Amino acid sequence: MKKRIVSPVLVYVMLLFSFYKANIPNDNLISLTLSNIDIKIELGNNEYRYWTEVMLTMARERFQTLTEQMFYILLCLREECCGTDIMAKVKQLSDGRVMVGPGTLYNLLENFVLADLIVETKVEGRKRSYIITEAGQQALADEVQRLKCLIHDYQKPII
């Protein structure tokens, strides 16, 4: 009987499949360590075996923290704006320190719409305008509070 090593990618896919199959809620799961994994797969006359220690890291909840570009885009959308206006306002608000290119901007706008952080308000040809929603305002306020906590922690004396 032949023995072969299964690729780590296959093991990863199998583990992810088992998470979904078992309906384990993993929304808040940040990391999971599984040790001494011994996987044996028999296909016809072949036996595939994989043994390892695995560390899986799951992504945090979407938009739990914001990048500078995300922050400034939401900040700009407290007033209705189109994409070109947002790029100009971000540059102005950050004194040129933060730049948002069109690819990044439109990708983030699409993701923000899907997450209900902003809504599309009007379409004039290819020009689309957006404004922040209550959920977006809350995400922005949460990020401001998080940044204030960081500043507060920075100012604490180290004991």
Side-chain angles (χ1 to χ4, degrees), residues 15-67:
L15 289 170
L16 286 177
F17 177 75
S18 68
F19 268 64
Y20 291 109
K21 189 175 179 184
N23 293 321
I24 298 171
N26 60 358
D27 294 344
N28 298 320
L29 184 63
I30 300 300
S31 66
L32 170 68
T33 302
L34 304 171
S35 57
N36 301 333
I37 293 178
D38 187 6
I39 297 175
K40 180 177 163 184
I41 303 170
E42 293 181 23
L43 296 172
N45 293 331
N46 294 325
E47 178 181 296
Y48 300 94
R49 205 156 195 172
Y50 189 76
W51 183 91
T52 188
E53 185 169 314
V54 177
M55 174 74 174
L56 297 177
T57 303
M58 305 300 278
R60 285 186 280 168
E61 187 178 327
R62 198 170 199 200
F63 304 126
Q64 185 178 12
T65 60
L66 303 176
T67 65

Side-chain angles (χ1 to χ4, degrees), residues 5 18 27 53 58 63 75 80-81 95 108 124 139 141-142:
I5 301 296
S18 68
D27 294 344
E53 185 169 314
M58 305 300 278
F63 304 126
L75 195 61
E80 184 179 32
C81 295
D95 294 326
L108 286 173
E124 297 169 348
D142 291 347

Side-chain angles (χ1 to χ4, degrees), residues 1-153:
M1 185 178 295
K2 288 184 176 180
K3 292 199 177 197
R4 296 183 185 174
I5 301 296
V6 177
S7 77
V9 174
L10 179 59
V11 172
Y12 183 73
V13 169
M14 290 170 51
L15 289 170
L16 286 177
F17 177 75
S18 68
F19 268 64
Y20 291 109
K21 189 175 179 184
N23 293 321
I24 298 171
N26 60 358
D27 294 344
N28 298 320
L29 184 63
I30 300 300
S31 66
L32 170 68
T33 302
L34 304 171
S35 57
N36 301 333
I37 293 178
D38 187 6
I39 297 175
K40 180 177 163 184
I41 303 170
E42 293 181 23
L43 296 172
N45 293 331
N46 294 325
E47 178 181 296
Y48 300 94
R49 205 156 195 172
Y50 189 76
W51 183 91
T52 188
E53 185 169 314
V54 177
M55 174 74 174
L56 297 177
T57 303
M58 305 300 278
R60 285 186 280 168
E61 187 178 327
R62 198 170 199 200
F63 304 126
Q64 185 178 12
T65 60
L66 303 176
T67 65
E68 282 186 314
Q69 293 171 326
M70 291 175 181
F71 181 85
Y72 280 103
I73 291 168
L74 290 176
L75 195 61
C76 291
L77 289 174
R78 294 184 298 177
E79 297 176 354
E80 184 179 32
C81 295
C82 68
T84 53
D85 292 341
I86 293 169
M87 288 188 281
K89 284 184 177 188
V90 167
K91 186 176 179 182
Q92 178 190 11
L93 282 170
S94 67
D95 294 326
R97 189 177 47 79
V98 177
M99 303 290 282
V100 180
T104 301
L105 175 67
Y106 291 106
N107 184 37
L108 286 173
L109 289 174
E110 182 180 327
N111 288 328
F112 285 158
V113 167
L114 291 173
D116 294 323
L117 298 179
I118 64 172
V119 292
E120 191 176 277
T121 54
K122 62 183 169 184
V123 179
E124 297 169 348
R126 291 183 54 187
K127 182 178 175 179
R128 298 174 183 271
S129 296
Y130 303 88
I131 196 158
I132 196 168
T133 63
E134 281 188 41
Q137 290 174 356
Q138 186 60 54
L140 195 56
D142 291 347
E143 183 66 11
V144 169
Q145 186 58 41
R146 186 185 75 80
L147 294 171
K148 285 179 181 179
C149 288
L150 291 176
I151 292 168
H152 176 74
D153 291 344

